[in-house]
Amino acid sequence: MLTDAELLRYSRQILLQHIDIDGQLRLKQGRALIIGMGGLGSPVALYLAAAGVGELHLADFDTVDLTNLQRQILHDSHSVGQAKVDSAMVRLSAINPGITLVPHRTALDADSLAAAVAAVDVVLDCSDNFGTREAVNAACVAARKPLVSGAAIRLEGQLSVFDPRREDSPCYHCLYGHGSEAELTCSEAGVVGPLVGLVGSLQALEALKLLAGFGETLVGRLLLIDALTTRFRELKVRRDPQCSVCQAIHHQGSHDQSQ
């Protein structure tokens, strides 16, 4: 049940007929894994904590650097040198002491990533490299957990939702394949702060929809953001029947059903 204090804290959210008390209860019971406490993970964590998502699992093995502060709004000048997860926990606890925070301070290998994904209801990929995104996607497909994936670099952002619980949903690998060897990072190419804030805020919104069960998510759609001209484009994305990640899981599912 929601306490009187929770009813007051989340009252503006509860007023929405799409959420109401039932939706707020689902958020309170919800568990989200946020991978990366940087530019994208900052608004994701802040908004999910403020919205009352009951359990946030925070994963990042990095420490706060002075160059992060231009866009990683979860941290401040006093956080420089601290583990990002520790800095995040201080801030999020101050925003909402009623939620549970579960830290992952070391890099997640295949086994620990699988366990971390299995322990939650939704995963938000806020990482900054293709290898991590591929590993997170594979873990989510294997565990049949929805994945909210965002990215931003320079003045361009993108966002989609991959939900392996749905037969029609593509996965990250369906869309990007094996990626590009010429992948750039923000430290090499640069990025404007409000853009990662925008993408991260949209990731948080998609996660709230998945957890509370309202609205239409970005499954099967890729949202492209051009910050230079403030234009948004949407592309349809279909599941690749030859996708090696999807195929392996669906074959396993078929094998399990036949036994």
Side-chain angles (χ1 to χ4, degrees), residues 153 183-190:
I153 196 165
E183 182 185 10
L184 292 175
T185 64
C186 292
S187 62
E188 298 166 321

Side-chain angles (χ1 to χ4, degrees), residues 70-91:
Q70 161 257 356
R71 64 198 178 280
Q72 300 184 14
I73 58 174
L74 196 53
H75 316 293
D76 57 35
S77 297
H78 298 291
S79 305
V80 173
Q82 292 182 17
K84 287 186 178 179
V85 167
D86 293 339
S87 171
M89 290 181 69
V90 170
R91 181 78 183 278

Side-chain angles (χ1 to χ4, degrees), residues 133 147-152 156-162 169-177 199 202-203 206 216-226 231-239:
R133 293 178 189 132
L147 169 62
V148 183
S149 179
E156 300 170 354
Q158 57 189 35
L159 174 74
S160 191
V161 175
F162 308 105
S169 175
C171 77
Y172 183 88
H173 192 78
C174 290
L175 179 58
Y176 293 104
V199 175
L202 289 171
Q203 283 183 270
E206 293 298 297
E216 178 184 354
T217 65
L218 276 169
V219 171
R221 297 181 288 150
L222 176 66
L223 183 66
L224 301 174
I225 302 169
D226 181 349
R231 285 190 169 91
F232 293 75
R233 286 196 303 143
E234 185 181 291
L235 302 178
K236 290 185 177 179
V237 182
R238 292 182 174 83
R239 184 168 168 254

Side-chain angles (χ1 to χ4, degrees), residues 18-126:
H18 294 95
I19 298 181
D20 207 343
I21 290 179
D22 289 341
Q24 191 62 51
L25 275 170
R26 285 191 286 270
L27 292 179
K28 182 178 181 178
Q29 296 160 359
R31 302 162 299 168
L33 170 63
I34 307 169
I35 299 178
M37 294 288 104
L40 297 173
S42 288
V44 164
L46 289 166
Y47 275 118
L48 294 189
V53 175
E55 196 170 291
L56 297 182
H57 296 231
L58 313 176
D60 201 310
F61 59 87
D62 202 3
T63 56
V64 180
D65 185 81
L66 186 62
T67 61
N68 300 151
L69 302 184
Q70 161 257 356
R71 64 198 178 280
Q72 300 184 14
I73 58 174
L74 196 53
H75 316 293
D76 57 35
S77 297
H78 298 291
S79 305
V80 173
Q82 292 182 17
K84 287 186 178 179
V85 167
D86 293 339
S87 171
M89 290 181 69
V90 170
R91 181 78 183 278
L92 298 175
S93 295
I95 288 173
N96 193 345
I99 63 173
T100 299
L101 301 173
V102 179
H104 297 274
R105 297 183 180 88
T106 58
L108 298 173
D109 58 20
D111 291 338
S112 59
L113 177 58
V117 168
V120 299
D121 305 303
V122 64
V123 178
L124 297 106
D125 188 348
C126 304

